[in-house]
Structure formats: C-alpha cells, structure tokens
Amino acid sequence: MLGVYISVPFCKAKCSYCNFASGVFGGPGSDRMERYVERVCAEIRSARVRTTEMRAELPEQVDTVFFGGGTPSLLSAGQMRRLFAALRGEFKVTADAEVTLECAPGQLGDQTLDELLRLGMNRVSFGVQSFVDAEASAVGRLHTRAMCLAEIARMRAAGIAEINVDLIAGLPRQTAVSWRESVDVALGSAVPHVSVYMLEVDEDSRLGRELLAHGTRYGVESVASDDETAERYAEACAWLESGGVMQYEISNFARKGHASRHNRKYWRREPYIGFGLDAHSMLRCDDDAVRWANTDELARYEVQDSRFESPEVERIGREQGFEEAMFLGLRMNEGVDLEELRSEFGEELIHGAVAALDDLEEAGLVEREESRVRLTARGRMVSNEVFSRLLVETPVG
Ligand code: SF4
C-alpha cells in the first residue's frame, strides 16, 4: 500500500526557527494558493506516467495520506475537495486510510474542517511547539495555550480522536521549569500522540542569522545549549512514558495503538509519494528503490507544465538499501530484525554489520534480543554517531 504526502507551503507568518520551504506567499483564497492547488492536482494526475518512466512500482491502493507544510489547514473547502478528487481519480484510497492534516492552532476554518471530515480526514497534527505563551510568541507562533486547548476540544467534538501535538525542546526563552509545564499540559490534554523535536538552529532561519550576527532579536540570547536541549529531550522521554505516552521512534510518542501509520512507512521503507513543493518520494523498483525530491523553489514549481520536470531520480541499490533499512529501522524503538534483513538483503551484508553491532552493544548504544536489534536510551541520544559507526564499519561503503 502507498502513503501519499501533500505539501502545502503557505503560512500566515514565518516562525523564527523555520527552515522549511514554506513562507507567507499569499493568504487563503489568493491567486497564488489557487494556482498552487491546480499544480498539485496536475502533478497527482501525471504520477503514473512519470513513475513508469522511472521504472518504479506505484501501488494503486493508498492507506495513508498526510497533508503537511507549511499550514495546509489554510486551504479552502473547495481546494481540499479538488485535491481529494485528483487523489481519488488516480488512486484507490482505502476506507480505513489514515488521513492526517497538519494544522496551526486557530488556523482551520469551520468550512474547511466540515469538508475535510466529509472527505475522510481522521487525524490532526497540531504545531504547538510550546504551551507557554511567551515562548510561543518569541518564535513567531500566533497561538496561545488557551487556543491550543480549545482546538483540541474542538477536534474531539468533531469526532477526531487521533490528535498529535508537536513540541520543541530548547526554544528561546524556554527554561527547565517551562519545559516541564509544556510537557505536563500535553499530558494533561490526554492527546494520544506527542512528537518531541530538539531545536536545531539552522543558519538559514531568521533565528540562525540572528545568532550568527550576535544579535538580540527573537530571544536568541536564551536559546538552550545543545547539552541543555538534549537533557530536556531525555526528560520529556521519561515524563511522557510515565504518563503512558510511550516512545516508539526517536521523536515520536503515542498511547497504545495510536502510532502514526504514515510516519512508520518512512522508517520501514514502505512506498510513499509526495506531491507539491519540496515533497520527497520513495518507491520500490526491481533493484531496490528509487528516491526523488521536488524543487524547493515555489516559483519554479508553479511554472512546470502538466508533464512536470523530470526530477533527478536516485536509484538505490541493494547495499544502500540495506544501510537505509538499518538506519531508518533503528530509529524505531522496535528496532530491526536481523533475520528479516538477512532474507531481504543476503548473508554477506548482515555479516559485515554484525561486527559493528557487537561493538555498539559493548558500548551500551544498542541492545539485542534474539535476532532483534534496537537502540538503547543512550543510543537514541547519540543516534547519528551510532549510524555513522555502522556506516564506517560495514563493508558497504
Ligand atoms: S508554521 Fe511550520 S512551516 Fe510555517 S513557518 Fe512556522 S514552522 Fe515553518
């Protein structure tokens, strides 16, 4: 089954830390948004022809759809209707598909919500980042805690049980105490899913530029150090788990039975296709897989004709596929099953990885239980180091 990602790069305001291909490109109902939706619909309609040219397998059945961005909740009811019509014209969206909308609190109109419910949307992911108003406004978020909690209640009243809240550890103005407050409010709201990210200040964000210029805007002087951020992340893992929201991936936590089906596809290397600005795709093919990414320049995306530019397609061979299966699989708490990998990729590649895994186990960074390997809590804190050691020490170059 296929996962579909639809990127909607429009935002009401640009958050100070944001380095995504998103911006204040025009409000709801603007010509630009209208043109963009048309482009995405055209891209959906051309998917089968383009993926056939790539010699990739495009499954017909879709069991997850994710509207991300940006702020896709800014689209109108009519624009959503057109996107779903294009999608259902090309694919069979299963009756029980998980359909997620990323949403900035306070930025989903009643009409769009009603239409989305009619179209099958059943999961909402709120970009809260902080439930402490001074922190949220310091990074340019337009909501307050009261608005977030009211939005969660509104979704429940509309019959949506699957609700995620994103939080960021290490935001400007965040303290150890205010971080605890944010996590506690998330727990108190009883949402079944929480994502926790560690702030990484990108030099292309406004916050990053201010930091480089030794400026004082955006609360830049109060950004937590890497060590403090890591400590807050570790604390959040413990607090959430003691509140029954269990970690299932480095950044993702859920009450039992509420893990995101769409995101799991990324870590399990199941096929997904992305439409829209900067959307990424991975489909299986005879060798192993193909990956490609759309342009991240809106002006360029807008002017593509109905056939679309052929993206640069990366062909993933068996060895690279094995590496991906290890790195992506180890992001999940369930880890990877070496027996499954052996039957998919062969003994030789497994053999090379086992020596590196032995070293990592001795260092307390991974643990093994029969054929299953997973990161330890310490391993999750330094996951990039673990992955690079696996890369260096496996003979797959
Ligand atoms: S709402 Fe999200 S995508 Fe938009 S500017 Fe803020 S962080 Fe970036």
Side-chain angles (χ1 to χ4, degrees):
M1 296 248 200
L2 183 71
V4 171
Y5 177 84
I6 296 181
S7 156
V8 182
F10 297 84
C11 293
K12 265 196 174 168
K14 186 81 177 167
C15 303
S16 67
Y17 56 82
C18 180
N19 64 347
F20 299 147
S22 67
V24 188
F25 298 126
S30 67
D31 283 354
R32 202 150 193 204
M33 207 181 247
E34 194 61 21
R35 273 202 312 274
Y36 182 81
V37 170
E38 271 317 301
R39 287 289 81 200
V40 175
C41 289
E43 192 190 1
I44 293 170
R45 288 192 289 264
S46 72
R48 201 152 292 282
V49 173
R50 291 183 306 123
T51 53
T52 305
E53 284 168 2
M54 293 173 197
R55 290 175 282 120
E57 294 159 19
L58 183 65
E60 214 189 336
Q61 298 223 44
V62 167
D63 67 346
T64 66
V65 181
F66 195 104
F67 287 87
T71 311
S73 54
L74 293 177
L75 294 188
S76 68
Q79 288 166 338
M80 283 295 182
R81 209 162 32 238
R82 286 187 349 245
L83 285 170
F84 272 88
L87 210 52
R88 294 206 160 104
E90 296 301 315
F91 301 98
K92 287 199 174 100
V93 181
T94 59
D96 67 343
E98 176 190 271
V99 182
T100 304
L101 178 79
E102 265 186 1
C103 190
Q107 295 183 32
L108 171 59
D110 285 338
Q111 278 188 355
T112 303
L113 174 60
D114 288 348
E115 187 63 31
L116 280 167
L117 291 170
R118 213 182 54 74
L119 291 165
M121 187 262 288
N122 49 25
R123 186 170 184 272
V124 172
S125 176
F126 282 116
V128 169
Q129 322 311 357
S130 170
F131 279 109
V132 175
D133 294 351
E135 280 168 34
S137 72
V139 291
R141 305 297 294 180
L142 302 174
H143 57 251
T144 59
R145 177 194 303 190
M147 282 166 72
C148 295
L149 294 177
E151 284 290 68
I152 292 169
R154 179 177 169 230
M155 291 307 127
R156 288 198 174 115
I160 295 178
E162 300 301 331
I163 301 172
N164 170 60
V165 159
D166 283 345
L167 296 177
I168 299 182
L171 283 177
R173 308 248 161 98
Q174 191 178 76
T175 63
V177 173
S178 71
W179 177 235
R180 172 96 218 202
E181 196 177 324
S182 268
V183 177
D184 277 351
V185 175
L187 278 169
S189 73
V191 291
H193 195 288
V194 179
S195 301
V196 177
Y197 301 100
M198 289 192 263
L199 180 72
E200 285 175 30
V201 183
D202 188 281
E203 56 188 41
D204 285 333
S205 65
R206 284 186 294 153
L207 191 64
R209 286 195 295 271
E210 194 68 9
L211 199 68
L212 286 175
H214 304 290
T216 53
R217 289 182 297 172
Y218 316 126
V220 72
E221 71 289 348
S222 57
V223 171
S225 69
D226 288 351
D227 283 352
E228 280 168 332
T229 302
E231 197 175 314
R232 284 181 202 162
Y233 164 81
E235 286 170 343
C237 295
W239 297 332
L240 288 168
E241 295 222 347
S242 65
V245 186
M246 310 309 283
Q247 186 170 35
Y248 68 96
E249 193 268 345
I250 289 177
S251 306
N252 288 283
F253 304 76
R255 296 183 194 276
K256 199 165 186 308
H258 294 278
S260 155
R261 278 158 55 195
H262 183 81
N263 288 347
R264 283 172 95 109
K265 287 186 187 288
Y266 300 143
W267 310 311
R268 291 180 170 178
R269 301 186 78 235
E270 291 170 11
Y272 57 88
I273 189 164
F275 300 111
L277 191 71
D278 201 27
H280 289 57
S281 305
M282 196 279 293
L283 294 178
R284 304 312 291 253
C285 65
D286 272 355
D287 306 337
D288 181 75
V290 291
R291 288 186 181 276
W292 74 95
N294 285 354
T295 175
D296 60 1
E297 289 170 42
L298 182 59
R300 204 163 141 206
Y301 182 78
E302 285 173 329
V303 296
Q304 296 183 88
D305 67 19
S306 59
R307 286 291 310 278
F308 281 78
E309 282 173 26
S310 290
E312 213 165 286
V313 175
E314 186 187 5
R315 301 202 84 81
I316 311 287
R318 207 171 56 88
E319 292 181 353
Q320 200 182 337
F322 171 71
E323 284 182 353
E324 284 189 6
M326 288 289 280
F327 304 151
L328 295 170
L330 282 173
R331 290 187 62 91
M332 297 183 292
N333 285 43
E334 68 186 36
V336 294
D337 187 321
L338 292 181
E339 281 311 315
E340 278 174 20
L341 293 180
R342 180 176 277 121
S343 62
E344 187 175 354
F345 296 100
E347 175 58 34
E348 200 187 329
L349 290 170
I350 292 288
H351 187 75
V354 163
L357 287 171
D358 285 345
D359 289 349
L360 289 165
E361 189 175 11
E362 212 169 284
L365 299 175
V366 302
E367 59 193 10
R368 294 168 71 168
E369 196 184 318
E370 298 178 358
S371 61
R372 202 155 265 288
V373 183
R374 54 176 78 90
L375 294 181
T376 59
R378 201 151 74 77
R380 276 193 286 279
M381 299 293 299
V382 290
S383 55
N384 285 341
E385 188 193 322
V386 174
F387 300 153
S388 70
R389 277 166 72 171
L390 275 169
L391 244 185
V392 172
E393 298 188 36
T394 51
V396 285

